């Protein structure tokens, strides 16, 4: 993939009923106990991490597949109760001005196909942290959890702009949208996926050096 095309990928950067208690069991001066959320066991955390890695690796496979077809190397899947409901690759075409981001394509596959309850219980996995346009699409779908392979910060090494930290969860919260975004799952592996960006293999180090030169020339 040529330098010009990679510069155009700017990430488009830019949401009980109470039961009565018998009098004999009440103590007026006793403090009311707060209900606390049970902590996850170490085995449960390990299982979550292994599940995340499984689905992120699937996203990486889709991303490489897209890259070898001449598209940008991004992939995404929607998972509900351990089952992949849908998957999508990037199909962006800059010459024809077709957006075609993997997450956007995935949202289109899922829209009006699954119930709000299913979508709210699902997790969207993506090979790389989504751009703002895709993030808005995901929010409109009613999904509340995103897990990303490559983080915003790490991906900025392959973009013609410097990394700027944004509180995307906070911004969505102000719009009444609850969303959690987890990043950096198998991130080193995910960065290597970009070596297939645009159909031609280029070592990651070469791509980063090329973009560093672009940034220097712009400053």
């Amino acid at each position: 993939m040529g330098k010009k095309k990679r510069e155009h990928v700017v990430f488009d950067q830019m949401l009980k009923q109470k039961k009565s208690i018998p009098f004999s069991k009440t103590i007026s001066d006793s403090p009311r106990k707060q209900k606390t959320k049970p902590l996850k066991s170490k085995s449960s955390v390990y299982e979550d991490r292994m599940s995340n890695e499984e689905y992120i690796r699937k996203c990486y496979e889709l991303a490489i597949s897209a890259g070898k077809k001449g598209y940008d190397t991004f992939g995404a899947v929607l998972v509900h109760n351990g089952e992949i409901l849908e998957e999508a690759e990037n199909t962006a075409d800059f010459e024809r001005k077709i957006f075609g981001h993997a997450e956007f394509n995935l949202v289109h596959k899922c829209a009006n196909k699954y119930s709000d309850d299913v979508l709210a219980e699902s997790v969207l996995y993506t090979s790389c942290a989504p751009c703002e346009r895709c993030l808005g699409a995901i929010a409109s779908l009613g999904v509340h959890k995103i897990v990303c392979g490559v983080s915003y910060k790490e991906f900025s090494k392959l973009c013609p702009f410097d990394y700027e930290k944004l509180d995307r969860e906070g911004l969505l919260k102000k719009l009444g949208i609850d969303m959690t975004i987890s990043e950096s799952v198998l991130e080193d592996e995910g960065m290597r996926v970009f070596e297939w960006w645009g159909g031609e293999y280029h070592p990651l180090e070469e791509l980063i050096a090329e973009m560093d030169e672009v940034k220097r020339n712009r400053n």
Side-chain angles (χ1 to χ4, degrees):
M1 177 181 60
K3 183 186 299 184
K4 185 176 180 182
K5 183 176 179 184
R6 277 196 293 275
E7 281 193 60
H8 278 292
V9 185
V10 184
F11 216 24
D12 303 307
Q13 307 259 20
M14 354 136 81
L15 202 90
K16 294 174 183 164
Q17 186 175 359
K18 293 183 179 179
K19 295 181 179 180
S20 60
I21 302 173
F23 179 77
S24 60
K25 292 187 179 181
T26 63
I27 303 176
S28 60
D29 58 351
S30 296
R32 186 172 295 175
K33 290 185 179 180
Q34 297 289 329
K35 288 185 178 180
T36 56
K37 211 173 182 181
L39 295 174
K40 283 188 175 184
S41 65
K42 287 184 178 180
S43 61
S44 177
V45 171
Y46 175 78
E47 288 171 3
D48 286 349
R49 181 173 66 81
M50 294 304 291
S51 295
N52 284 346
E53 291 181 355
E54 174 188 352
Y55 300 127
I56 286 296
R57 280 207 167 98
K58 178 60 180 177
C59 293
Y60 290 161
E61 290 175 12
L62 292 166
I64 291 174
S65 172
K68 289 182 176 180
K69 294 172 185 173
Y71 297 109
D72 299 327
T73 44
F74 299 92
V77 300
L78 187 75
V79 176
H80 180 259
N81 288 341
E83 177 187 357
I84 295 178
L85 298 181
E86 301 290 346
E87 58 186 51
E89 300 178 2
N90 181 288
T91 56
D93 188 324
F94 295 98
E95 291 183 1
R96 296 172 56 215
K97 297 184 179 180
I98 302 297
F99 184 61
H101 285 200
E103 302 93 337
F104 194 77
N105 290 342
L106 185 63
V107 168
H108 273 271
K109 281 188 170 185
C110 298
N112 299 320
K113 183 174 181 179
Y114 301 100
S115 72
D116 288 344
D117 288 342
V118 168
L119 293 170
E121 295 168 355
S122 298
V123 180
L124 191 145
Y125 291 85
T126 177
S127 60
C128 185
C131 71
E132 274 57 50
R133 189 169 168 183
C134 285
L135 193 57
I138 295 166
S140 73
L141 193 62
V143 172
H144 299 293
K145 184 175 182 180
I146 302 172
V147 179
C148 316
V150 176
S151 64
Y152 288 105
K153 183 176 182 179
E154 197 68 10
F155 181 65
S156 68
K157 294 178 180 179
L158 296 171
C159 297
F161 52 80
D162 294 322
Y163 170 71
E164 181 182 354
K165 187 175 182 180
L166 294 175
D167 182 10
R168 292 171 174 83
E169 291 181 3
L171 291 171
L172 289 170
K173 187 74 173 178
K174 289 181 179 180
L175 297 173
I177 299 170
D178 291 321
M179 180 79 76
T180 60
I181 305 171
S182 303
E183 303 177 76
S184 305
V185 179
L186 300 174
E187 189 163 50
D188 291 341
E189 189 175 325
M191 285 295 284
R192 292 289 170 187
V193 167
F194 293 113
E195 294 179 329
W196 288 101
W197 200 337
E200 298 177 7
Y201 177 85
H202 296 278
L204 178 63
E205 295 75 14
E206 178 183 311
L207 298 175
I208 293 175
E210 181 182 297
M211 200 50 65
D212 284 343
E213 182 182 350
V214 170
K215 291 174 182 176
R216 282 194 299 270
N217 291 337
R218 288 191 170 188
N219 293 334

